């Protein structure tokens, strides 16, 4: 029990360090460096003017070469619309300057820490760039400098064409799906005599869209996928640069719950992807920079077709691309991501067909998971019941060897072997359930369906529930109190009380105290955790308590268990096994201690 107990504590502490403490410290370090740099550059920094989301046209001033005469050129804004989104495209550069998501809202706090909801836009920062570098025999051309004329325009389709001063033209086509966020996109050129590869540069200044910026920061990054490899991404907690010489099937600028992706029909030749952290006081979350190349023959008197996506990280919508674009959803790695994708998510989707309240769905998910792992829980309860049935015998061993702790342990292990009881039987089922718990830690803050969904006192199940605001801030804890996290701590202590009745802590009383102290350590971690997770954990503890109390009184009869143990004692025992090895180790240890004692007496 001590070995398993320490292993469990070690696993949990390492998990806490890797998943929470370490990323947070790295993020704070990077943010501080970025803030210092921005402070030094603040005097020379000029902010670009903000473009009104509702304007349909604007203007900029240019100077006619060799004349000094200023001319005013009109910039028009065109809109593609359906029930889900409204995309604004500028005639200057022919790029998307905003994508409004009609069914979602952005959240920010006012000076009094009250929530304010506003329209949610992607790609709306005026510092964003989306431009092609075209190399011709007469010089380089940057499409960001071109003014496009409209060739075709409707609510769902836009064709823009720019004439090149040195000859030829460059065309961009947009077509919005009538019932989706998907956007057909194609580029082409005529008579330009292009040479070398074409470079596409996309710079996206991610906006802060969530209340819990810390969570949003650690779940936002630049994702990309090679043609025959799994999706990759830049670091979520620090500035990072990735260079890929292989073919790139797609790349996506992803917030916690939304992304803007580009998926070419023919893969890009190569790509470079970079994330740059912003200062905490910045209006932006991060800067994502992508640079991809493809052959000029793809558009030279030809059309290079792509698909764009500006919308929520909805698993089914992203999976419909059939290029693993759903991997931008940070469900976790290895077995944990697999559990989320192919067990937890389908279960949630199934329950959502019948129940609208996400909190009730969490309660039902908790119950279903408990039913599925009940065979493991039954084994654990059975092991605990056997241990309780042996308590009188254990007490006799303690009384007989009250002055020799090592002999107590040797005799106790011998007794377990005689009666056929595995003292670790209650721990292994718990270890087998751990992957589900870790998977859920990633599921709730990554699932857009829980975003801004309220339950009881929690206003957003993907962020922490703010039940009480403290007049001060506690390091690693914050200035708010999560009631779900607090209820989890209380219920964990109650569960520990009932669970510890079947365990003998006389050999190491500190282990008992540790079980009661550990929940308070985790309280600091879970106080800023998604309310969906702490809600699930609280419900799970309530079921655990009920399962333990009712299970012992209804499922197991102490007298019958005692009788079955006596029968086990009478059976011949096999030599070897884990328990026998432990007993042999303890005997060997006892022998060494006795030898040391004899030698010390001789001296």
């Amino acid at each position: 029990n001590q070995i398993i107990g320490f292993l469990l504590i070690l696993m949990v502490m390492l998990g806490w360090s890797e998943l929470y403490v370490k990323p947070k410290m790295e993020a704070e370090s990077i943010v501080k460096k970025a803030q210092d740099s921005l402070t030094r550059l603040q005097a020379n920094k000029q902010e670009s003017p903000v473009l009104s989301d509702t304007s349909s046209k604007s203007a900029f001033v240019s100077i006619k070469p060799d004349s000094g005469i200023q001319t005013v050129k009109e910039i028009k804004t065109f809109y593609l619309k359906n029930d889900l989104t409204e995309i604004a495209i500028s005639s200057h550069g022919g790029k998307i300057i905003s994508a409004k998501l009609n069914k979602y809202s952005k959240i920010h706090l006012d000076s009094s820490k009250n929530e304010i909801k506003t329209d949610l836009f992607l790609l709306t920062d005026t510092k964003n760039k989306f431009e092609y570098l075209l190399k011709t025999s007469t010089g380089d051309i940057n499409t960001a400098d071109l003014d496009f004329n409209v060739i075709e325009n409707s609510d769902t389709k836009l064709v823009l064409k720019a004439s090149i001063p040195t000859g030829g033209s460059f065309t961009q086509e947009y077509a919005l799906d009538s019932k989706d966020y998907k956007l057909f996109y194609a580029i082409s050129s005529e008579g330009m005599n292009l040479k070398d590869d074409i470079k596409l540069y996309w710079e996206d200044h991610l906006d802060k869209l969530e209340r819990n910026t810390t969570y949003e920061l650690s779940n936002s990054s630049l994702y990309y996928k090679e043609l025959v490899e799994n999706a990759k991404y830049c670091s979520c907690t620090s500035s990072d640069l990735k260079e890929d010489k292989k073919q790139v099937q797609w790349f996506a600028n992803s917030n916690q719950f939304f992304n803007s992706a580009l998926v070419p029909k023919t893969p890009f030749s190569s790509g470079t992807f970079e994330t740059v952290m912003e200062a905490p006081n910045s209006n932006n979350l991060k800067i994502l920079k992508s640079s991809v190349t493809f052959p000029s023959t793809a558009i030279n008197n030809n059309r290079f077709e792509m698909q764009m996506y500006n919308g929520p990280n909805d698993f089914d919508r992203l999976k419909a691309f059939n290029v693993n674009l759903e991997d931008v959803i940070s469900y976790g790695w290895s077995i944990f991501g697999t559990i989320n994708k192919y067990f937890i998510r389908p279960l949630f989707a199934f329950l959502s067909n019948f129940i609208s309240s996400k909190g009730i769905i969490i309660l039902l998910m908790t119950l279903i998971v408990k039913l599925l792992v009940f065979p493991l829980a039954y084994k654990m309860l059975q092991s605990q019941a056997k241990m309780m049935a042996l308590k009188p015998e254990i007490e006799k061993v303690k009384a007989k060897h009250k002055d020799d702790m090592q002999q107590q342990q040797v005799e106790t292990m011998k007794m377990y072997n005689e009666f056929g009881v595995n003292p670790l039987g209650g721990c292994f089922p718990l270890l087998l359930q751990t992957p589900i718990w870790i998977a859920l830690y990633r599921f709730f803050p990554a699932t857009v369906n829980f975003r801004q969904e309220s339950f009881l006192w929690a206003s957003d199940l993907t962020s922490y529930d703010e039940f009480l605001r403290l007049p001060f801030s506690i390091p690693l804890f914050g200035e708010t109190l999560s009631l779900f996290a607090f209820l989890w701590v209380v219920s964990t202590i109650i569960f520990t009380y009932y669970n510890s009745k079947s365990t003998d802590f006389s050999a190491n009383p500190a282990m008992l105290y540790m079980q009661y102290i550990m929940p308070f350590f985790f309280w600091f971690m879970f106080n800023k955790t998604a309310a969906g997770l702490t809600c699930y954990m609280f419900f799970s503890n309530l079921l655990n308590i009920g399962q333990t109390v009712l299970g012992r009184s209804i499922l197991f009869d102490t007298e019958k268990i005692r009788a079955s143990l006596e029968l086990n004692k009478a059976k011949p025992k096999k030599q070897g096994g884990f328990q026998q090895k432990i007993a042999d180790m303890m005997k060997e240890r006892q022998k060494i201690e006795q030898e040391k004692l004899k030698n010390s007496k001789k001296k």
Side-chain angles (χ1 to χ4, degrees):
N1 280 333
Q2 291 180 33
I3 294 171
I4 296 298
F6 280 118
L7 286 176
L8 284 171
I9 291 172
L10 180 60
M11 288 172 59
V12 171
M13 294 301 291
L14 287 175
W16 183 20
S17 175
E18 290 297 320
L19 295 174
Y20 183 75
V21 178
K22 185 177 178 180
K24 184 174 181 179
M25 291 178 66
E26 289 178 353
E28 289 175 350
S29 175
I30 295 298
V31 165
K32 186 177 184 304
K33 292 179 181 178
Q35 189 173 16
D36 292 340
S37 299
L38 286 173
T39 301
R40 290 192 297 269
L41 295 172
Q42 193 64 36
N44 298 323
K45 183 178 179 180
Q46 279 189 329
E47 293 291 341
S48 301
V50 177
L51 180 65
S52 171
D53 297 319
T54 58
S55 64
S56 61
K57 57 180 66 177
S58 58
F60 70 94
V61 177
S62 65
I63 300 176
K64 189 175 181 180
D66 304 324
S67 68
I69 300 174
Q70 292 186 346
T71 60
V72 178
K73 294 184 178 180
E74 185 180 72
I75 298 178
K76 295 182 179 180
T77 301
F78 306 97
Y79 294 91
L80 302 178
K81 305 176 183 178
N82 62 22
D83 292 338
L84 298 175
T85 185
E86 179 178 298
I87 296 176
I89 302 170
S90 174
S91 63
H92 186 62
K95 69 173 184 177
I96 295 176
I97 55 175
S98 76
K100 179 184 176 185
L101 308 187
N102 297 331
K103 295 184 180 297
Y104 297 92
S105 298
K106 171 184 174 180
I107 286 185
H108 58 91
L109 303 179
D110 62 16
S111 57
S112 301
K113 302 298 182 180
N114 297 316
E115 286 188 358
I116 298 177
K117 291 186 178 182
T118 57
D119 292 337
L120 192 151
F121 290 88
L122 303 178
L123 306 176
T124 193
D125 197 291
T126 56
K127 299 185 291 296
N128 288 349
K129 297 179 182 180
F130 189 92
E131 54 198 32
Y132 296 91
L133 181 62
L134 312 173
K135 294 185 177 182
T136 70
S137 56
T138 56
D140 295 344
I141 297 172
N142 191 326
T143 59
D145 301 325
L146 300 178
D147 294 306
F148 286 79
N149 297 313
V150 61
I151 304 299
E152 183 178 350
N153 185 19
S154 67
D155 282 348
T156 57
K157 187 173 182 180
L158 176 67
V159 180
L160 298 174
K161 188 173 185 178
S163 297
I164 308 301
T166 55
S169 63
F170 183 81
T171 302
Q172 298 189 73
E173 303 175 45
Y174 297 90
L176 179 63
D177 191 297
S178 60
K179 297 181 180 179
D180 202 350
Y181 299 94
K182 190 182 298 184
L183 190 69
F184 170 81
Y185 177 56
I187 58 173
S188 59
S189 70
E190 294 179 358
M192 292 182 63
N193 296 319
L194 297 172
K195 63 178 184 178
D196 298 333
D197 285 344
I198 294 172
K199 177 181 177 182
L200 166 60
Y201 178 71
W202 189 359
E203 182 176 312
D204 187 4
H205 295 246
L206 292 185
D207 191 14
K208 295 177 180 177
L209 305 175
E210 311 302 327
R211 174 179 179 176
N212 191 341
T213 305
T214 303
Y215 246 36
E216 186 180 16
L217 187 72
S218 60
N219 286 278
S220 302
S221 188
L222 205 165
Y223 288 77
Y224 65 97
K225 184 183 180 301
E226 297 173 359
L227 185 59
V228 293
E229 299 288 341
N230 294 327
K232 300 178 181 179
Y233 58 92
C234 294
S235 172
C236 294
T237 57
S238 63
S239 298
D240 193 16
L241 176 65
K242 305 285 188 184
E243 186 172 0
D244 205 313
K245 298 295 184 182
K246 298 180 181 179
Q247 289 184 311
V248 177
Q249 194 170 21
W250 55 260
F251 65 97
N253 304 326
S254 182
N255 283 78
Q256 183 177 357
F257 296 111
F258 306 93
N259 82 85
S260 298
L262 191 60
V263 183
K265 186 175 181 180
T266 303
F268 297 116
S269 303
S270 62
T272 301
F273 308 97
E274 182 181 7
T275 56
V276 180
M277 302 296 288
E278 290 274 55
N281 58 353
S282 171
N283 292 328
N284 298 119
L285 190 70
K286 296 179 181 179
I287 304 174
L288 308 184
K289 301 178 181 180
S290 303
S291 179
V292 294
T293 61
F294 54 94
S296 58
T297 53
I299 70 166
N300 200 11
N301 299 316
N302 203 353
R303 293 169 80 245
F304 186 66
E305 297 180 354
M306 295 170 270
Q307 291 185 89
M308 299 185 77
Y309 180 87
N310 299 290
N313 290 343
D314 182 285
F315 188 89
D316 293 328
R317 291 185 188 276
L318 299 179
K319 189 174 178 60
F321 281 86
N322 294 318
V323 289
N324 301 114
L325 188 58
E326 67 276 10
D327 287 346
V328 302
I329 305 175
S330 54
Y331 278 149
W333 64 97
S334 187
I335 185 174
F336 310 117
T338 301
I339 291 173
N340 279 328
K341 286 182 180 179
Y342 304 110
F343 172 63
I344 301 297
R345 187 198 60 81
L347 176 60
F348 167 75
F350 172 76
L351 294 175
S352 297
N353 293 328
F354 309 100
I355 302 167
S356 59
S357 172
K358 300 301 186 290
I360 300 299
I361 290 177
I362 291 175
L363 177 58
L364 290 176
M365 286 174 64
T366 312
L367 181 60
I368 291 171
V369 170
K370 285 296 176 187
L371 290 175
L372 291 175
V373 299
F374 183 73
L376 301 176
Y378 181 86
K379 292 287 186 181
M380 182 173 66
L381 291 172
Q382 186 181 51
S383 177
Q384 292 174 349
K386 289 180 179 180
M387 296 286 288
M388 292 187 72
L390 279 180
K391 259 199 168 182
E393 299 295 332
I394 295 174
E395 293 299 326
K396 291 179 182 178
V397 171
K398 289 181 183 178
K400 182 178 179 181
H401 304 282
K402 59 182 179 180
D403 297 325
D404 191 344
M405 192 65 68
Q406 286 192 348
Q407 188 61 32
Q408 281 186 30
Q409 295 175 359
V410 171
E411 294 297 326
T412 300
M413 290 300 297
K414 181 180 178 182
M415 184 190 307
Y416 288 152
N417 192 44
E418 288 178 351
F419 284 96
V421 175
N422 182 5
L424 306 180
C427 296
F428 288 124
L430 182 62
L431 287 174
L432 293 175
Q433 298 177 54
T434 302
I436 296 178
W437 181 85
I438 297 177
L440 287 170
Y441 182 86
R442 299 299 298 268
F443 178 75
F444 290 107
T447 305
V448 69
N449 305 80
F450 286 104
R451 184 180 184 267
Q452 296 181 12
E453 290 288 341
S454 61
F455 181 62
L456 298 178
W457 53 83
S459 61
D460 187 347
L461 289 171
T462 63
S463 183
Y464 57 90
D465 60 293
E466 185 181 310
F467 183 74
L468 179 66
R469 179 166 289 276
L470 305 175
F472 49 84
S473 179
I474 302 174
L476 298 179
F477 189 84
E479 58 183 10
T480 60
L481 174 67
S482 165
L483 184 55
F484 274 130
F486 174 74
L487 291 175
W488 172 80
V489 172
V490 174
S491 58
T492 300
I493 292 172
I494 295 173
F495 176 65
T496 299
Y497 168 75
Y498 285 107
N499 204 41
S500 61
K501 286 185 174 182
S502 62
T503 307
D504 179 26
F505 293 98
S506 59
N508 191 355
M511 286 298 297
L512 175 60
Y513 302 133
M514 183 63 72
Q515 289 191 62
Y516 285 103
I517 293 173
M518 286 303 294
F520 291 97
F521 282 102
F522 285 107
W523 190 11
F524 280 75
M525 173 183 175
F526 294 137
N527 190 60
K528 289 290 186 179
T529 299
L533 176 63
T534 49
C535 175
Y536 173 88
M537 293 165 59
F538 171 57
F539 288 159
S540 181
N541 271 354
L542 292 181
L543 293 175
N544 284 338
I545 293 169
Q547 179 179 268
T548 301
V549 175
L550 296 177
R552 289 175 181 175
S553 60
I554 296 175
L555 297 177
F556 304 103
D557 186 307
T558 304
E559 295 300 323
K560 289 183 178 180
I561 290 177
R562 177 68 187 181
S564 66
L565 291 177
E566 292 293 341
L567 291 175
N568 287 339
K569 185 178 180 181
K571 293 178 181 178
K573 301 295 182 297
K574 295 181 180 179
Q575 297 297 322
F578 182 70
Q579 293 185 60
Q580 185 63 45
K581 289 181 180 180
I582 293 292
D584 292 342
M585 288 171 61
M586 296 179 71
K587 288 180 180 179
E588 184 64 27
R589 180 62 184 172
Q590 185 184 30
K591 183 179 178 181
I592 293 172
E593 291 296 330
Q594 289 175 349
E595 290 293 332
K596 287 183 179 179
L597 184 62
K598 289 179 180 179
N599 293 334
S600 62
K601 288 181 178 180
K602 289 180 179 179
K603 292 180 180 178

